[in-house]
Amino acid sequence: KCGFDNKSRATLLLLSSSRAAAPMWTTRLAGGFAALATLSCGSDASVVKGISYGPMPCKGPCVISQDDFFSQSAKPMWGKRGRGDLQVMKQLGANAVRLYGNNPENTHRDFLDEAQEFGLEVIPGLSDWDYIQSPNNCLTTDYDCFSQIKASYLGNLKTGFLQEDGTYHPALREIIVVNEPDLKLPGMHDPKNFCKGIISAIDGMLDAEKNMSVVDAKVNFTVAFSFGVCTSCSAGFTNKPSLGQMAQLREAMLDPETVGYKAKNDLAAFYRTRFHNSFNTANPAEHVKSMFLDAYEVAFPTTPVMIQEYHQPRQHVKDDLAKVLKMAEGSPVLNGVSFFEFHVRYDKGGTEMDFGMFKLGEFPVTNFEYFGEPYTAWCLVPAPSKDKVMMAEEVAEAYGGEGLDYDMLCIPDPLKVRLDYDGFKKITEQGRPERTKAFVDRLVRHFGGDVSDHGAMANFAATFTPASDSSQASGDS
C-alpha cells in the first residue's frame, strides 16, 4: 500500500528481479522508481501500527479446544459490550490487529464489522491445523497443501471474509498464509519442502477464490517467517535472518517446478501483484535495519514487508517502537509493525510472559462459554515495561493514541452492566457522578427516550451518587 499500485509493482519487479544480468539502465530505472516510492511513503498515516492478539482466557496452564479468538465465542473479550479489547486497541493508537488461530467453520463477520467500526484493519492467519496437526495434514501429503488449504480457505470465504457482492470484507488488510513455516514445515534445514508447502497452499487459496467468484480481489497474502538464518537456502542470504527464506520462496513462486510442484494458477503473476513478505522478531530496531532492512530494500525493491510480531522486552518500549516506526515511514517497502502482544499468555509461562502489555486482573468483566467450556473475561491491568512504567502507555505514546483511563478497566462499566437495580448499585457505589449519569443516559435511551438537558441530568444523577454534590456534577457534565 506504500508507493506502488499493482501494475507499477509488477513492472518494477520485472526490472529488478534479474539485476545481475540486466543492463545498467534497467537497474537505474528500478532504483529511480524505488526513490519515488520513498517520497510517497513518508506519511505517518500509511504506516501499520498493529497489535498481535491471542487472548488466552486463563491465568495459568490450560488447554482449549480452539484458539479462534476472532470468532463469536470470543466476543465477550473483543466485543464492546464485553471487555472491549478492540476498542482498547483503538484508544492505544493501533490501526490494525494481527490474529492467529482460525477455524473456518466459525463465523468471523461480527469481528470484522466491529474492527471496521473502530478503524482497525484485520490481518488473520490460517491455522496450523491443516499444515501439521490434522489427520490429513500437509506432512502426510509430501508437503502438497493444495487440497487441505483450499477447503479451509473456502470455509473462511463463506463465513465472513466475503461480502454478499463477492468482494472481500473491507476490514481485511492481508491474510497470513502460514506463521513461521521455516520452523515447522518441516524446518529451516529443508527450504525446498517449506517452500513447496507455502506455494501449494497459496495455489489452493487462489482456487478457492475462483470457486467463490471473488470480485476484484485486492486482499494480499503474506507469509510470516521467523528471524532465523537459513544456511540451507540456495537462493542466497545464508548469513542474513529471514532474507534467505524470502529469496527461496520468491524462486519457488516464480518457477514452482523448482520445488517439484505443478501449479494450477499463475503464481508468478500473483507474486508480482498481491504477495507481501513478513517476519517476526524480538530484535531491536537497530538490528532490524542493519541485519535485514538495508539488504531487503535492495533485493526486494517492490515487495512490501511487515513485521508481524515486534517487541524486545529488554529495550525501552516507547523509544524502540518509535525508532522502528520512523524506519517504516522512511522506507519504500517496510509497511509497519504489529506489537507483540496484547496480554500476557499465562498458559505459555517462562519468558513468554514478558511480552504482554496487559496482565489479567481480579475483576470479572463477564463470564462466558467458550466452545462449551466456562471462562471469565478478566479485566485488563497494565503490565510494567523494562522502565517500570505501563507498557500499554508506552505503546500509546509511540502509536500516537489517546490512551486509557486505566483505573476504570477493573470496575463495573456504566455502559456494560445490566440495566437493573444491581447494575445501578454497582455504578453509584463508585462515587463518580459522571458514571452514574452515563448509566442513566443509557437507561433513558433503552426506553426510547432522549436526554435534552444534560446539565439537569448530571444534577439528577448526582443525587444518587454517594459522597457527591450538585456542584461536582455540574463540573463533570
Side-chain angles (χ1 to χ4, degrees):
K1 293 189 178 182
C2 194
F4 296 103
D5 58 21
N6 286 343
K7 184 177 180 181
S8 300
R9 183 183 157 203
T11 302
L12 184 48
L13 180 61
L14 289 171
L15 288 172
S16 60
S17 59
S18 56
R19 285 188 172 188
M24 181 62 72
W25 68 269
T26 62
T27 301
R28 288 177 177 173
L29 184 58
F33 272 119
L36 288 174
T38 303
L39 293 177
S40 65
C41 280
S43 169
D44 180 68
S46 66
V47 174
V48 179
K49 303 171 188 174
I51 292 176
S52 301
Y53 186 65
M56 185 70 82
C58 44
K59 295 183 178 182
C62 66
V63 177
I64 57 175
S65 60
Q66 300 185 37
D67 62 347
D68 187 351
F69 294 125
F70 68 127
S71 66
Q72 287 295 102
S73 288
K75 193 170 184 177
M77 293 186 289
W78 55 258
K80 56 190 173 184
R81 290 299 303 276
R83 191 169 62 200
D85 292 351
L86 290 176
Q87 186 172 9
V88 168
M89 293 181 207
K90 180 63 176 178
Q91 289 175 282
L92 293 177
N95 58 20
V97 51
R98 183 254 165 109
L99 300 159
Y100 295 87
N102 176 352
N103 183 345
E105 296 178 0
N106 301 327
T107 181
H108 302 108
R109 175 61 64 86
D110 278 8
F111 184 96
L112 295 173
D113 287 346
E114 189 156 324
Q116 183 185 16
E117 179 184 335
F118 286 118
L120 296 171
E121 292 186 298
V122 180
I123 307 172
L126 301 190
S127 171
D128 280 349
W129 174 255
D130 290 307
Y131 288 107
I132 59 174
Q133 296 169 344
S134 75
N136 185 39
N137 66 63
C138 297
L139 308 183
T140 70
T141 54
D142 193 26
Y143 302 99
D144 184 340
C145 304
F146 179 91
S147 297
Q148 298 95 321
I149 301 304
K150 177 180 178 179
S152 180
Y153 199 58
L154 271 171
N156 281 144
L157 294 176
K158 293 174 181 177
T159 56
F161 283 19
L162 284 189
Q163 301 185 107
E164 287 71 17
D165 62 359
T167 61
Y168 271 106
H169 194 289
L172 287 168
R173 176 183 175 83
E174 58 192 6
I175 311 296
I176 299 175
V177 177
V178 59
N179 186 55
E180 298 185 341
D182 48 333
L183 301 185
K184 63 195 176 195
L185 199 64
M188 201 79 75
H189 64 283
D190 193 353
K192 177 181 177 181
N193 276 326
F194 73 63
C195 285
K196 181 181 178 181
I198 294 166
I199 68 171
S200 59
I202 291 173
D203 201 23
M205 293 167 73
L206 295 176
D207 230 47
E209 287 186 339
K210 283 183 179 179
N211 283 16
M212 294 296 293
S213 301
V214 174
V215 176
D216 196 23
K218 291 183 177 178
V219 169
N220 297 307
F221 295 170
T222 187
V223 172
F225 285 109
S226 76
F227 207 53
V229 175
C230 183
T231 57
S232 300
C233 286
S234 61
F237 302 104
T238 54
N239 63 343
K240 292 282 188 181
S242 300
L243 282 163
Q245 299 93 301
M246 294 174 182
Q248 199 76 39
L249 178 60
R250 176 169 61 185
E251 283 193 0
M253 291 288 284
L254 298 180
D255 186 1
E257 292 188 3
T258 61
V259 294
Y261 181 71
K262 187 171 181 59
K264 297 175 176 58
N265 296 279
D266 190 343
L267 297 184
F270 168 83
Y271 184 85
R272 295 185 179 110
T273 56
R274 289 181 60 194
F275 185 79
H276 289 187
N277 278 314
S278 295
F279 65 98
N280 304 326
T281 184
N283 287 58
E286 289 85 355
H287 291 182
V288 170
K289 178 171 172 55
S290 62
M291 297 169 67
F292 176 84
L293 189 60
D294 287 344
Y296 184 90
E297 290 180 346
V298 174
F300 295 87
T302 64
T303 306
V305 62
M306 179 173 162
I307 308 176
Q308 297 287 356
E309 291 180 2
Y310 185 79
H311 181 193
Q312 169 45 256
R314 292 183 294 278
Q315 294 289 314
H316 302 284
V317 171
K318 181 181 70 173
D319 295 342
D320 190 61
L321 196 51
K323 285 178 185 176
V324 78
L325 291 174
K326 186 174 180 62
M327 201 182 302
E329 290 171 27
S331 172
V333 288
L334 181 58
N335 276 343
V337 303
S338 182
F339 185 81
F340 185 80
E341 61 186 318
F342 185 71
H343 79 57
V344 172
R345 287 289 299 266
Y346 297 87
D347 60 304
K348 291 182 177 180
T351 57
E352 288 287 338
M353 293 179 62
D354 295 339
F355 289 98
M357 60 179 162
F358 290 106
K359 299 185 293 183
L360 297 180
E362 297 302 318
F363 172 68
V365 176
T366 186
N367 295 311
F368 66 104
E369 189 174 278
Y370 184 73
F371 297 109
E373 295 293 328
Y375 285 95
T376 297
W378 298 104
C379 69
L380 301 172
V381 176
S385 68
K386 174 183 181 294
D387 305 314
K388 305 302 180 186
V389 297
M390 292 184 290
M391 197 184 305
E393 189 60 26
E394 291 194 290
V395 172
E397 288 189 42
Y399 278 3
E402 64 185 75
L404 297 161
D405 186 345
Y406 299 99
D407 291 337
M408 297 295 103
L409 295 178
C410 286
I411 61 175
D413 188 331
L415 301 181
K416 298 175 183 178
V417 296
R418 290 177 61 87
L419 288 173
D420 56 17
Y421 178 73
D422 184 57
F424 177 70
K425 189 168 181 285
K426 287 177 180 178
I427 300 304
T428 58
E429 286 177 345
Q430 295 171 19
R432 299 185 61 153
E434 74 279 8
R435 291 175 71 80
T436 302
K437 177 183 179 299
F439 178 93
V440 178
D441 284 349
R442 179 180 158 218
L443 185 65
V444 170
R445 290 193 303 272
H446 177 75
F447 284 109
D450 187 38
V451 177
S452 57
D453 188 337
H454 286 277
M457 174 60 81
N459 289 329
F460 172 75
T463 65
F464 295 94
T465 307
S468 69
D469 55 46
S470 298
S471 60
Q472 266 188 303
S474 297
D476 287 329
S477 63

